[in-house]
Amino acid sequence: FESVEAFGLWQTRQRKRFVDQMLYPYDGKVAVSSASDSVHETHRRREFHVTLNDQRLFRFFRLEPLSAEVGKRLPTIACFMGHGKVTQILDDKDSYQHACAARFVEAGYLVYAMENAGMEPGQDTHHDIDQSLRLEGHGWYSLLFAHQRILLNHVFADPSVDRLRVGATGVST
C-alpha cells in the first residue's frame, strides 16, 4: 500500500464487500428484549430474545459477575458458540465449551454468549436452515454473521461495557 490512507480505504472497501456478500439481509427492524433473569453461583444471567416481526431469530445471554461494582465498566467477552448447545458453555462444567464463557465471568469479565440459530434445545436444525438458505444464495453462516453483528451492537451499547476492552472468543465457528 502506498500510504496509511490507501490501506484504510482498502479496509473500508473489504468490510463493505464482506457485509454485502456474507451477512444475511434481514428486511425490517430487529428488536432485542429481556426474557428472563436468574442468579447463579458466580454470576447474574439475563436472557435476551432477538425478534423480527414478532418471530424469534435467536437468543443470547448476558453474564455479569456477582462481584461487579455498580456503575463500573467491565472488560467484556463476546462468546460465539460453535456447533453444540448453549447449555454446554453456560452450565456443563465438564464441557470444553465451558471455558468459552463461564470461565471468563468467573475471572471478572462481563460475558455475552450467543446461541446459534438451529442449535436451540431439542432437535438440531442448522443443516436444514443451511439447505433452505442456499436456495436463495445464502447459508447458515450468513445468519450467524448477521446475528453476531446484532449482538455486538448490543454489547457496545451496554453502559457496563468497557468499550476499549472487548474481546471475542468462539468454539469452532
Side-chain angles (χ1 to χ4, degrees), residues 58-61 77-92 95-102 111-120 126 140-141 144-145 147-148 151 168-173:
F58 70 101
R59 66 183 179 159
F60 65 86
F61 300 84
I77 296 290
C79 176
F80 300 119
M81 180 65 179
H83 295 86
K85 304 295 183 186
V86 76
T87 56
Q88 292 172 294
I89 58 175
L90 297 177
D91 299 317
D92 186 357
S95 169
Y96 70 87
Q97 290 99 334
H98 193 66
C100 182
V111 174
Y112 279 87
M114 185 179 99
E115 179 177 66
N116 291 339
M119 297 298 226
E120 299 88 356
H126 81 283
W140 182 65
Y141 286 102
L144 297 188
F145 295 142
H147 295 175
Q148 289 168 354
L151 173 69
T169 186
V171 181
S172 124
T173 308

Side-chain angles (χ1 to χ4, degrees), residues 64-76:
E64 180 181 29
L66 291 177
S67 61
E69 297 175 31
V70 176
K72 184 177 179 194
R73 292 182 177 221
L74 296 172
T76 302

Side-chain angles (χ1 to χ4, degrees), residues 19 22-27 133 136 138-139 141-146:
V19 168
M22 298 299 293
L23 264 68
Y24 185 79
Y26 283 114
D27 284 331
L133 288 173
E136 60 180 55
H138 298 286
Y141 286 102
S142 63
L143 276 186
L144 297 188
F145 295 142

